[in-house]
Amino acid sequence: MVNAIVRIIRGIFIAWFIKIFATNDIVRYQMLALVAEEINGKKVRGCVAELGVYKGDFAKRINSHFPDKTLYLFDTFNGFDKRDVDIERKLNNNANENDFTNSSVGLVLKKMKYPENCIVQKGWFPETAEHIEETFAFVSIDADLFEPIYQGLLYFYARLEKGGYIFVHDYNGKLYGAKEAVQRFSEEHNVSYVPLSDLCGTVVFSK
Ligand SMILES: C[S@@+](CC[C@H](N)C(=O)[O-])C[C@H]1O[C@@H](n2cnc3c(N)ncnc32)[C@H](O)[C@@H]1O
């Protein structure tokens, strides 16, 4: 009973935080605009993508900055997967399968300026990316937990075009394992990144 109440309060807090703060993150949005200008100006090839779409509030900005690019949208659209949550708990983070369950593909697509550019990959990443043969110019990884972020970096960095960028959200967020995932990938693959001073401390990888 107490656990259920704590979970409900936590869910309300996360939804409130995203509505009030994460959807007003000027530094993150301006950085996206600048990076999009670079990519479009230099005609960097490849698609754009977001891993961790939720209600599409950052994805709609990606879609609008890249009118000529296919946008892949990766999400369960049903919150965290148990496999990732189990790994997160082993890292002593208090992840909850009920967070981010209140979204849908229809809701997200309605927000898009160019919905015809969107390809929705609904389900558990990295399974949903297995058959895709694309390269990428820009990717936003915003999946919160260690495992999907680490898998996302492995997958997308290998497929990132020269002149392309990857944003990883929540590097400085304290709830989950984003920082560990970024640091582990960076050390193992000998690639560096730049932390930004936006609300949750996005980091930027480039090629
Ligand atoms: C913080 S929310 C994304 C917020 C969104 N980028 C925005 O700006 O509003 C995290 C999302 O990652 C998704 N997610 C986490 N792990 C995933 C996985 N392994 N496969 C697919 N989606 C995942 C969750 O379903 C959730 O919608």
Side-chain angles (χ1 to χ4, degrees):
M1 179 68 179
V2 174
N3 277 353
I5 293 170
V6 169
R7 271 205 299 276
I8 290 167
I9 293 173
R10 183 192 157 94
I12 292 170
F13 172 77
I14 289 175
W16 173 82
F17 182 87
I18 288 188
K19 197 167 173 54
I20 305 295
F21 291 108
T23 52
N24 287 299
D25 194 344
I26 301 301
V27 174
R28 186 177 176 215
Y29 297 161
Q30 291 299 98
M31 190 66 186
L32 172 64
L34 202 56
V35 155
E37 210 176 291
E38 284 287 302
I39 290 170
N40 290 331
K42 290 179 182 167
K43 301 197 182 335
V44 177
R45 289 186 311 183
C47 302
V48 293
E50 181 163 62
L51 165 56
V53 175
Y54 187 39
K55 293 186 177 176
D57 287 321
F58 195 64
K60 74 178 180 196
R61 292 169 186 273
I62 303 173
N63 178 248
S64 138
H65 282 298
F66 294 100
D68 302 323
K69 289 197 180 290
T70 300
L71 168 59
Y72 279 87
L73 298 168
F74 295 93
D75 204 298
T76 62
F77 297 97
N78 196 26
F80 298 145
D81 188 281
K82 185 175 179 329
R83 288 163 280 194
D84 299 333
V85 168
D86 288 345
I87 292 173
E88 201 68 21
R89 289 191 179 143
K90 285 189 187 135
L91 296 170
N92 290 325
N93 296 325
N94 185 19
N96 186 342
E97 279 163 68
N98 298 320
D99 292 346
F100 304 109
T101 49
N102 56 343
S103 186
S104 72
V105 172
L107 174 87
V108 168
L109 289 180
K110 258 193 221 149
K111 294 184 180 176
M112 298 295 160
K113 187 168 179 188
Y114 308 106
E116 68 281 6
N117 286 356
C118 296
I119 298 181
V120 177
Q121 297 296 133
K122 181 174 158 77
W124 182 58
F125 182 94
E127 256 173 25
T128 47
E130 272 167 12
H131 61 284
I132 297 171
E133 290 181 14
E134 300 279 15
T135 60
F136 295 88
F138 175 81
V139 181
S140 161
I141 300 178
D142 189 7
D144 283 1
L145 307 183
F146 174 90
E147 187 61 13
I149 294 174
Y150 179 69
Q151 293 299 332
L153 281 168
L154 286 178
Y155 181 88
F156 288 113
Y157 193 81
R159 291 164 178 78
L160 192 67
E161 290 280 353
K162 189 171 174 341
Y165 295 84
I166 298 176
F167 285 9
V168 185
H169 198 227
D170 292 316
Y171 181 73
N172 209 27
K174 309 291 180 216
L175 284 180
Y176 310 115
K179 186 169 265 179
E180 285 106 310
V182 165
Q183 290 180 345
R184 177 164 158 197
F185 174 81
S186 161
E187 278 161 28
E188 285 178 354
H189 296 267
N190 200 23
V191 287
S192 52
Y193 54 87
V194 179
L196 301 183
S197 58
D198 64 350
L199 276 178
C200 296
T202 293
V203 298
V204 183
F205 288 89
S206 61
K207 252 192 195 171

